[in-house]
Amino acid sequence: MVVPELRPWRAARPHVVRAANAVRPRLAKAADVVRPRLGRATAAVRPRVARLAKAVKPQVARVTRPRPGKTWQYTAGAAGAGLALAFVVVNAAGPWDATGQRTAERDWAAARERTGGADHGDGAATASRPRTPKPAPSAATVLAGLGGEDGTTKAAGSAAGAPTSQALTNVLRPLLGDSALGAGHAAAVVDVATGKRLYGSGADDALTPASTTKIATAVAALSALGADHRFTTRAALEPDTQELVLVGGGDPTLTARAKSDGWASLRTLAADTASALKKRGVHKVTLSYDTTLYAGPEVHPIGVNPNLAPVSALTADEGRTDDSVSGPVTRVSDPAADAARKFAGFLASHGVTTTSPGPSKATGRATTLATVSSPPLSTVVERMLTNSDNDIAEALARQTAVATGERASFEGGATAIAAQLKKLGLPLQGARFNDGSGLNRNDRLTADLLTALLVKAGAADHPELRPVLTGLPVAGFTGTLSSRYTDGAAGVVRAKTGTLTGVNTLAGTVVDQDGRLLAFAFLASGTTDPAAAQSALDRTATALAGCGCH
């Protein structure tokens, strides 16, 4: 049985567009100045950081070591540095996704620089306005990991040394000893600037990672395909039979909805296809669909499950049977046939009659009439991580297999992920992949590998991996962390959650009170109370945010 993760954060664009438009000229100008070297930006905003820190100093106490009951506190230096730095360089930290999450972060950072600012609402639900999430804060953790003047990863505004191993042990050991974390747990904390492990407890023990597996999937896909790669769905006409084939390109974000919100639209593909057919004098076709890009079983080993549709190279809206865009919901049993039927209906609305669609394979002689492509892989990865989207994760595993010559199945995708991570020099001892989503309970990862993945994503020589950091949910604001950390470390912790029955995991980044960027991974097995285990992990991550730990 799978315990569904929290329902994701919805688009914030309607609440931020006015303020975003107002500050865009200032952001663009600032981005032009700092884009050549983000390290210069850190120096440029240091006076502003100091002013912000001074302004909030009476309200926020500096904590050298977290005291019992006070682990929520973190310093104005870390928070203020992140906000001021964000105002200047957040436009260069992208990419920005189509849902408005990155726009919200940019606007929130800008709004903090002036009195008043954008009216985002108070989040309270009314009869005319449903409850909406607060705008996301700037990601100080991401910005700090983007690199300094010398090309190495640095912490924003920090002259302090890294936390010491003994000090971290004193803080984390009692928290990780919480009985809510079950009989077996593992943890690691790494200084992103140096890649040095600062704390480890069972860091080399391979445990069930649940959805933190998606971090590995994201790194593998971005490495194999590139951040700018797009997935293309096309309509092709066979020259002899006049058979129209809808060819699935494995785009997990293809939508049939009237509002595409920047994703590839099945309606647009139908309109363009109908236009091309009419130019040829064709008004009636035999319609078929091609899903041969992928191989093997479509249904995940866990069986039919609301967390994941059958994995197909052709799917619209992830086979969802309602208007949701993420989270568990009943799925159609045959996503490809469902997408083809919708495509037929859209063609009919443009005056093209079709037969009832069936499976086929486009030949090399078929003429492509129209195509639609997904946003860049960078954006797709961000959506996957923010929403913990299992459908996208399994698609990316198969796409990694396609790109590397493996069979595009569950097994081939898992093999491709492991091979790609090995090429990156990551520590794979004990790791075992069986899927891309982490729904398979036989998956095994170590805390050492999870932190190494995050460090690699922040490395100056791997900018293509940056969406792994920018896609992590923001504590208290976005995705699977939108309702967590509301009373502590909101906006400072960014992390991927993982939840299965008896398994709770958390892996991500945090800026400590000295402004240093830390990567962490906490894995717990044998948990019996998911809510209590989740709270225990959140307290541990919050302790890092409030820790100077020297």
Side-chain angles (χ1 to χ4, degrees), residues 153 161-166 168 187-200 203 447-448 451-452 454-456 516-521 544 549-550:
T153 303
T164 65
S165 177
Q166 185 58 56
L168 279 173
V189 178
V190 174
D191 181 4
V192 177
T194 64
K196 179 183 177 182
R197 185 201 291 174
L198 304 176
Y199 174 83
D448 191 27
T451 51
L454 295 166
V455 170
K456 185 71 70 174
R516 293 196 72 88
L517 180 65
L518 306 178
F520 67 87
L544 284 178
C549 297
H550 300 301

Side-chain angles (χ1 to χ4, degrees), residues 231 252-253 263 374-384 392 396:
F231 307 119
T253 63
W263 308 103
S374 71
L377 178 59
S378 55
T379 298
V380 176
V381 162
E382 286 185 328
R383 173 173 164 177
M384 175 189 73
I392 294 178
L396 295 190

Side-chain angles (χ1 to χ4, degrees), residues 116-131:
D119 178 15
H120 298 294
D122 58 7
T126 65
S128 60
R129 176 172 60 83
R131 179 178 295 277

Side-chain angles (χ1 to χ4, degrees), residues 46 155-162 514-516 550:
R46 192 165 288 122
S158 172
D514 290 318
R516 293 196 72 88
H550 300 301

Side-chain angles (χ1 to χ4, degrees), residues 192-267:
V192 177
T194 64
K196 179 183 177 182
R197 185 201 291 174
L198 304 176
Y199 174 83
S201 174
D204 299 322
D205 296 341
L207 300 178
T208 304
S211 276
T212 54
T213 300
K214 293 182 177 73
I215 296 174
T217 301
V219 168
L222 287 164
S223 176
L225 296 161
D228 295 328
H229 184 82
R230 298 172 187 262
F231 307 119
T232 299
T233 308
R234 64 190 181 98
L237 186 67
E238 296 290 354
D240 299 326
T241 62
Q242 295 295 291
E243 176 189 9
L244 181 66
V245 187
L246 179 59
V247 183
D251 180 1
T253 63
L254 180 69
T255 180
R257 296 190 173 118
K259 291 186 177 180
S260 65
D261 291 328
W263 308 103
S265 170
L266 196 61
R267 293 172 185 256

Side-chain angles (χ1 to χ4, degrees), residues 233-304:
T233 308
R234 64 190 181 98
L237 186 67
E238 296 290 354
D240 299 326
T241 62
Q242 295 295 291
E243 176 189 9
L244 181 66
V245 187
L246 179 59
V247 183
D251 180 1
T253 63
L254 180 69
T255 180
R257 296 190 173 118
K259 291 186 177 180
S260 65
D261 291 328
W263 308 103
S265 170
L266 196 61
R267 293 172 185 256
T268 298
L269 183 63
D272 293 346
T273 301
S275 177
L277 287 170
K278 290 177 181 178
K279 289 179 180 179
R280 288 169 167 77
V282 177
H283 298 274
K284 183 175 183 179
V285 294
T286 298
L287 180 61
S288 60
Y289 54 91
D290 182 348
T291 62
T292 59
L293 180 66
Y294 291 172
E298 291 188 342
V299 177
H300 192 281
I302 63 173
V304 176

